[in-house]
Amino acid sequence: MSRYIGQSLPRRDARLKATGEARFTADLSLPFMLHAAVLRSPYPHARIVRLDTSRAERLPGVKAVLTARDTSGVKWGVFRYTRDQEFLAREKVRYVGEEVAAVAAESEDIAREALELIEVEYEILPAVFDPLSAVADDAPRIHDHAERNINIHVPIHVGDVDRAFDECDYVHTERTVSEEESYFMTEPYAVLAHCDRQGTVEVWMPNASPHTKAKGLANALGLPVSKVHVRHVSVGGAFGGRSDMFPGEYIAARLSQMTQRPVKLVYTREENSIAVRQGHSMVVESTFGFKRDGTLHAVDVTAYMDGGAYSSTGPIATSVPFLCFEQTYRVPNVRYNGYRVYTNKPIRGMIRTHGRAWACNVDMQLDLAAAALGLDPVEIRRRNAVRTGDTTPTQSKIFKMDSLATIKAVAEASRFREKWGKLPKWRGIGIGCVSVMSGFPMGIRGGSAAMVKFDEDAGVTVISGVVDNGQGNENVVLQIAAEALGVAPGAIQLVASDTEVTPIDQGAYSQATTLCSGNAVRLACEDARRQIFEIASDMLEAAEEDLELEDGKVFVRGSPSRAVPLRNVIRMGLLKGKNVIGHGSFGPNVDQTREWIKNPKGQLAAAFSYGSAVVEVEVDPETGFVRVLDAWVAHDCGKAINPKEVEGQMEGGLAMGGHGGILLEACKWHEGANLNPDFLGYKVPLAPDMPPIHPFIVESEDPFGPFGAKEGGLSISMCTAQAYSNAIANAIGTHIREFPHTPDRVLEAIEKRAVTGDP
Amino acid sequence: MNEARKSPPKKMVVELEVNGTRHELLVEPRRTLLEVLREELGLTGAKEGCGLGACGTCTVLMDGRPVRACLTLAVEAQGASILTVEGLADTVADREPGALHPIQEAFVDAHGVQCGFCTPGMILAAKALLDEEPDPDEARIREALGGQVCRCTGYTKIVEAVKLAARRLSGEEVKA
Ligand code: FES
Ligand code: FES
């Protein structure tokens, strides 16, 4: 019986965060610390003709000035074949905000003053700001190696799409367009680095994978990985925007190497928006073909994603929207061409609702087909939902996924079918579904390991690479360890995400933490139990397999009075030279030969979650303003380790993906300059905006997840976007093809509908 | 030859009380209250999420009222009494060592904390509300927190935390 799994225990880190004791990177300081600032490109595309730092170097208080001249020139890219970014621009700059030089000085004021003394002469080059212009034959070339500025092309073709369309009873083409979203995690990026006189570099920064950062930094600094220690620190949100390497951590570490003093670099909100990551803008063209009974038979999608100036997570980012689709709705014949295109804009990464134009296009197609074929939106999803036992077009087996239960939960709770077609004018209801993978093949960095050790008083310390960006991952592994060891989570210490101490972990960016880090901790605890029982079996004169461990006691099953305190067992072990140290290592059951571009087939993830959402809206036809009346969300997370925390992920997902993603969020531009990098110009949802949210947790008991658990929450940030968009369409009688659906776009759609009558 | 630095502005004496302790500080007039709290006094509970008055992560109480510490100059706080998240628990009379303020407890118990970056500001904004209105309805809570951005939670559990705190502070509900 579960004592700690499935319990909504308060999170361990919450007390520290509620008292202000939790330390985020900008809160840290070290003795003799210097402060850094970065000079950024004012142009979207320009050659650096002259770069003179001599005046800045002479400013009193300046300790070092860093340019590409002082670097090894190692380029960063998530994959060997995507290494295209130097951490400081060498010959040319490719976006407004790119790093050109950096200063370390006695104070931030001096550092900023020094930036003004750096002289840079640029030769301005023609620039290009959207993916469709960038692939034109006469477009300016941003990287020498990329013809037509195509950074990544993911081609997937399964079945015979052209023939399959001929077999369809209903075929329809749609084009959707979305602007970029921005992460707006509340913590702006910051980094503190300290290179000591043994050449060891310690670094603190918000991150989703300290081991990825340590490896990237070690490469760039020319050090072995063991000399780079990325430390644990509280992280103020990530949402995909802290995943790969950023110039900031290199700059701080390199300046610290040059000065032999700690260096702190704190980005402004604006720098965080422009010079870390943004979401991709997209143009998506889809053709969907259905049989008369509503089964989806063929799909052809082409997507152009604006990748900005460098690759970042490009191959993954170009694939994931398609993969989420093929896991969500069955389709035997499918062709996908995803193009990630270089432009002279900031670098794009994965974001919590990656690909709203893609995902919403799919669910728009489903609603239009349902209407044409005489089905309702719930029924067409029920008929097409991927479920347990299915295999996706790219050959992932779905071992356990209760998609239908999530659809049923939201459809019934919202009384969807009773409301469909019967709501008052300007009211609408919509549904969306999405499946998210718990991880993907990541080679040597795809699994997790953990250790558990005991003090002489039986105190427990778990050592795990688990990364927590705020979503509660640390608490997940604590509850798992508690369950496996029969010890209250409050009595367990956790050492997490410190590359000097903790083993490699896949990080918190592929939705694999619960599955991989959780399993590694479970296995480590089970290993410790075995060792404990081995020692205790002599003490209790009982067979190891007859022993139980609970509440700090080892006892014989069925006769609880034959017991010995765990403390005594641990001490006996120490006496006998058998120090109990549990070890667990876990790699997910994925096909490591699967590759994003060259070989996009094989088992993608060990588990897949499924989310469904329904929202009901009211549109003001005078202003175009959308009021969301109610939202119902259901998520198959396998097993909720901590149900309230899973709900929190679902609610936060709805806020960012649904509410922000469909009603508010978009980056604005002028000639490659982001006009709204701050909270004043970029609207994020606030407390008064939000609808009541009714969360439902579906537990399909995953066969591979720890205690049945898999990814918890991300599905909702995506499927709520689809539900919001469809609900608005239902309210105004026509779909909006541009994302987000801001009031002006809602009004425009209402007016156009009045003229053309198009659905 | 060295470049000449721009001459640093003259400093002024500012007296203020922070979490019950009186301080006399020498600060440049352009320094914000947030800079003084974080850098001079080491009180890093108030965060700088934007520096523009738009996110609320820097919210502290000045003479009981919530202010954006990033927009408040330290010299404007002359003579004022400031409460930051670090001092909140001490406002509870006769508390056990290590005990939290009931609002902090409620944020922990109601799962109102995820990444925690917005939490100090949120909690102080909630305190200002509950000091004025001990029994606010949900719409009033949402309005009072309307200037505090949270990117993680969707606000549901933060609102529940404030409701729970109100019930506990009024004695209507006792913490188990
Ligand atoms: S930092 Fe003061 S409001 Fe954002
Ligand atoms: S908990 Fe992360 S911003 Fe509120």
Side-chain angles (χ1 to χ4, degrees):
Chain A
M1 203 206 60
S2 291
R3 305 192 54 187
Y4 303 110
I5 299 296
Q7 305 296 317
S8 291
L9 305 169
R11 264 166 70 160
R12 173 82 70 81
D13 54 341
R15 279 180 87 81
L16 296 179
K17 289 170 174 175
T19 54
E21 276 171 68
R23 294 274 180 267
F24 296 82
T25 303
D27 303 337
L28 304 175
S29 50
L30 289 171
F32 305 112
M33 184 172 83
L34 297 172
H35 299 264
V38 178
L39 183 70
R40 301 185 176 283
S41 166
Y43 301 112
H45 199 192
R47 198 167 300 288
I48 301 172
V49 179
R50 194 175 66 89
L51 176 54
D52 183 354
T53 58
S54 53
R55 288 183 62 206
E57 281 159 27
R58 288 199 301 268
L59 187 71
V62 169
K63 295 296 162 193
V65 180
L66 174 66
T67 69
R69 285 192 291 264
D70 313 294
T71 73
S72 64
V74 167
K75 289 184 178 172
W76 165 251
V78 173
F79 300 88
R80 229 170 252 285
Y81 58 88
T82 62
R83 291 189 184 156
D84 59 4
Q85 183 190 11
E86 281 203 54
F87 290 132
L88 285 143
R90 189 172 299 273
E91 276 144 22
K92 65 176 191 171
V93 289
R94 295 180 173 87
Y95 73 94
V96 175
E98 181 159 5
E99 296 75 11
V100 174
V103 176
E106 296 288 356
S107 74
E108 210 178 315
D109 285 341
I110 299 175
R112 294 208 177 272
E113 200 180 321
L115 296 185
E116 292 169 25
L117 301 175
I118 297 176
E119 292 164 23
V120 196
E121 202 181 301
Y122 294 99
E123 176 197 332
I124 296 171
L125 301 170
V128 62
F129 305 118
D130 74 89
L132 296 184
S133 311
V135 297
D137 288 332
D138 56 348
R141 172 90 63 110
I142 298 171
H143 290 269
D144 292 342
H145 69 269
E147 253 176 77
R148 294 175 63 222
N149 292 312
I150 293 172
N151 164 221
I152 302 292
H153 174 206
V154 173
I156 290 170
H157 194 166
V158 178
D160 186 340
V161 171
D162 297 316
R163 206 184 68 205
F165 278 125
D166 292 337
E167 296 158 1
C168 289
D169 299 297
Y170 167 86
V171 177
H172 180 73
T173 299
E174 277 293 345
R175 186 177 193 269
T176 45
V177 178
S178 66
E179 283 144 355
E180 300 81 357
E181 316 94 320
S182 198
Y183 299 87
F184 277 87
M185 54 292 265
T186 46
E187 179 197 19
Y189 175 86
V191 52
L192 172 62
H194 177 39
C195 176
D196 70 16
R197 290 187 196 252
Q198 300 186 56
T200 303
V201 182
E202 280 185 291
V203 197
W204 294 258
M205 87 289 258
N207 71 81
S209 171
H211 291 279
T212 306
K213 297 278 197 191
K215 180 68 169 72
L217 267 175
N219 282 0
L221 295 169
L223 295 172
V225 183
S226 61
K227 286 273 193 191
V228 179
H229 303 323
V230 177
R231 300 293 189 203
H232 181 271
V233 68
S234 294
V235 179
F239 318 117
R242 299 291 185 226
S243 296
D244 61 316
M245 290 285 303
F246 311 129
E249 50 244 23
Y250 174 77
I251 287 170
R254 185 78 189 103
L255 285 169
S256 180
Q257 268 189 337
M258 290 162 77
T259 58
Q260 295 285 300
R261 287 173 65 176
V263 174
K264 180 153 111 176
L265 172 61
V266 181
Y267 278 14
T268 61
R269 168 57 53 192
E270 293 74 9
E271 284 179 295
N272 185 71
S273 297
I274 292 165
V276 185
R277 290 290 178 268
Q278 301 181 330
H280 292 70
S281 63
M282 291 188 195
V283 180
V284 181
E285 241 175 58
S286 78
T287 302
F288 274 54
F290 293 81
K291 294 289 189 72
R292 197 175 316 281
D293 65 357
T295 41
L296 182 56
H297 189 55
V299 165
D300 189 353
V301 178
T302 302
Y304 287 92
M305 306 184 186
D306 182 345
Y310 297 100
S311 286
S312 180
T313 49
I316 310 174
T318 315
S319 306
V320 163
F322 169 79
L323 298 171
C324 287
F325 157 68
E326 69 156 16
Q327 296 154 207
T328 306
Y329 299 121
R330 292 167 161 174
V331 58
N333 301 285
V334 62
R335 179 162 54 213
Y336 172 53
N337 282 291
Y339 297 94
R340 185 178 187 274
V341 180
Y342 287 126
T343 65
N344 293 112
K345 282 159 91 183
I347 308 164
R348 279 67 201 275
M350 307 281 291
I351 194 165
R352 204 176 191 177
T353 318
H354 183 60
R356 54 188 163 170
W358 221 118
C360 295
N361 186 308
V362 170
D363 276 64
M364 180 193 306
Q365 285 275 18
L366 259 79
D367 273 15
L368 291 169
L373 299 168
L375 298 169
D376 71 53
V378 174
E379 189 53 32
I380 197 164
R381 285 171 178 78
R382 270 176 32 78
R383 289 190 188 181
N384 289 294
V386 171
R387 60 205 70 178
T388 301
D390 283 2
T391 299
T392 66
T394 67
Q395 298 299 310
S396 281
K397 178 110 175 127
I398 307 293
F399 299 103
K400 202 78 187 276
M401 188 166 85
D402 209 346
S403 47
L404 298 181
T406 67
I407 295 172
K408 184 163 185 259
V410 293
E412 286 184 1
S414 64
R415 298 188 296 120
F416 190 100
R417 282 171 156 156
E418 289 152 59
K419 291 175 182 170
W420 183 247
K422 301 190 193 70
L423 288 172
K425 203 162 189 262
W426 306 116
R427 287 263 289 271
I429 191 164
I431 182 170
C433 304
V434 98
S435 163
V436 168
M437 59 296 270
S438 295
F440 33 72
M442 290 192 290
I444 59 165
R445 238 171 281 284
S448 184
M451 290 171 271
V452 55
K453 69 184 186 91
F454 296 81
D455 301 317
E456 67 246 54
D457 63 356
V460 182
T461 301
V462 171
I463 299 164
S464 157
V466 67
V467 188
D468 199 329
N469 298 142
Q471 64 277 71
N473 288 340
E474 289 185 2
N475 217 67
V476 166
V477 301
L478 279 169
Q479 285 187 235
I480 286 172
E483 184 73 28
L485 291 173
V487 173
I492 302 175
Q493 299 301 311
L494 178 66
V495 178
S497 57
D498 178 322
T499 60
E500 188 179 20
V501 184
T502 58
I504 288 191
D505 176 271
Q506 76 294 321
Y509 44 50
S510 64
Q511 302 82 244
T513 293
T514 299
L515 185 89
C516 293
S517 315
N519 263 326
V521 168
R522 177 184 62 83
L523 291 167
C525 294
E526 287 172 3
D527 185 34
R529 272 171 82 102
R530 265 192 302 277
Q531 298 173 38
I532 288 164
F533 290 166
E534 190 188 315
I535 300 163
S537 92
D538 282 351
M539 298 168 78
L540 289 167
E541 293 176 357
E544 286 169 37
E545 54 277 14
D546 293 337
L547 299 181
E548 291 277 3
L549 172 58
E550 227 166 78
D551 291 333
K553 274 203 268 313
V554 180
F555 59 93
V556 181
R557 193 174 306 115
S559 43
S561 58
R562 283 175 68 197
V564 54
L566 177 60
R567 196 180 96 107
N568 293 11
V569 181
I570 297 297
R571 294 172 75 96
M572 179 61 77
L574 290 170
L575 269 182
K576 290 182 162 179
K578 288 183 182 168
N579 191 339
V580 176
I581 296 182
H583 165 248
S585 189
F586 182 83
N589 167 24
V590 297
D591 183 347
Q592 293 289 5
T593 67
R594 188 177 173 125
E595 207 288 328
W596 302 96
I597 298 171
K598 286 195 282 299
N599 185 35
K601 58 178 193 295
Q603 190 68 33
L604 175 74
F608 300 85
S609 65
Y610 205 94
S612 297
V614 168
V615 300
E616 193 174 337
V617 302
E618 184 171 55
V619 175
D620 181 340
E622 302 295 319
T623 61
F625 181 78
V626 177
R627 197 157 72 90
V628 186
L629 306 173
D630 252 314
W632 299 265
V633 292
H635 180 62
D636 171 14
C637 61
K639 171 83 193 168
I641 306 262
N642 185 318
K644 285 282 169 200
E645 289 298 320
V646 174
E647 283 179 20
Q649 288 304 302
M650 294 159 80
E651 290 153 0
L654 179 139
M656 191 163 179
H659 207 91
I662 296 304
L663 302 182
L664 306 170
E665 299 188 28
C667 296
K668 299 289 172 204
W669 303 94
H670 177 71
E671 299 285 304
N674 185 350
L675 301 178
N676 58 345
D678 55 48
F679 278 114
L680 295 169
Y682 187 98
K683 299 293 174 210
V684 300
L686 295 169
D689 306 337
M690 295 299 299
I693 305 169
H694 312 283
F696 299 90
I697 292 171
V698 172
E699 300 189 314
S700 62
E701 305 284 346
D702 191 79
F704 304 112
F707 303 101
K710 57 189 173 185
E711 184 273 324
L714 187 65
S715 304
I716 300 305
S717 94
M718 306 235 231
C719 70
T720 47
Q722 297 145 238
Y724 266 70
S725 182
N726 281 344
I728 294 168
N730 182 232
I732 65 175
T734 182
H735 284 271
I736 304 176
R737 274 87 181 170
E738 292 93 38
F739 299 85
H741 300 344
T742 45
D744 52 318
R745 285 175 175 159
V746 173
L747 282 184
E748 199 184 309
I750 293 172
E751 278 158 27
K752 193 164 150 241
R753 153 114 179 119
V755 178
T756 65
D758 287 342
Chain B
M1 213 196 77
N2 269 353
E3 288 286 331
R5 271 216 69 197
K6 291 175 189 164
S7 56
K10 277 219 164 44
K11 294 191 174 182
M12 291 172 71
V13 176
V14 177
E15 282 176 60
L16 68 176
E17 187 190 294
V18 181
N19 300 335
T21 305
R22 292 208 65 78
H23 294 274
E24 204 181 275
L25 301 163
L26 205 55
V27 296
E28 290 174 20
R30 67 195 172 114
R31 289 286 170 220
T32 63
L33 177 59
L34 184 61
E35 287 173 307
V36 167
L37 291 172
R38 288 178 57 86
E39 288 158 30
E40 306 285 324
L41 302 179
L43 296 168
T44 55
K47 308 295 179 200
E48 183 170 331
C50 71
L52 280 180
C55 75
T57 59
C58 64
T59 299
V60 298
L61 302 190
M62 184 153 113
D63 295 328
R65 281 203 314 279
V67 294
R68 308 286 214 213
C70 73
L71 289 188
T72 308
L73 292 175
V75 293
E76 290 178 76
Q78 171 67 38
S81 158
I82 307 292
L83 182 70
T84 74
V85 74
E86 289 93 340
L88 179 58
D90 289 333
T91 63
V92 181
D94 305 324
R95 75 174 173 120
E96 302 274 312
L100 306 188
H101 185 280
I103 300 176
Q104 292 170 315
E105 285 282 1
F107 269 70
V108 174
D109 293 345
H111 299 258
V113 180
Q114 286 188 25
C115 82
F117 201 82
C118 71
T119 308
M122 243 356 139
I123 286 178
L124 289 169
K127 169 154 171 50
L129 169 69
L130 296 179
D131 283 350
E132 288 270 308
E133 295 173 49
D135 187 22
D137 64 12
E138 173 152 345
R140 180 70 189 104
I141 295 171
R142 285 180 181 271
E143 186 195 326
L145 300 181
Q148 309 291 128
V149 172
C150 175
R151 197 62 161 152
C152 299
T153 63
Y155 304 99
T156 307
K157 296 204 170 7
I158 288 176
V159 172
E160 282 166 16
V162 179
K163 288 186 195 164
L164 177 62
R167 291 198 302 276
R168 286 182 180 169
L169 283 165
S170 70
E172 187 188 315
E173 190 175 314
V174 183
K175 183 176 159 59

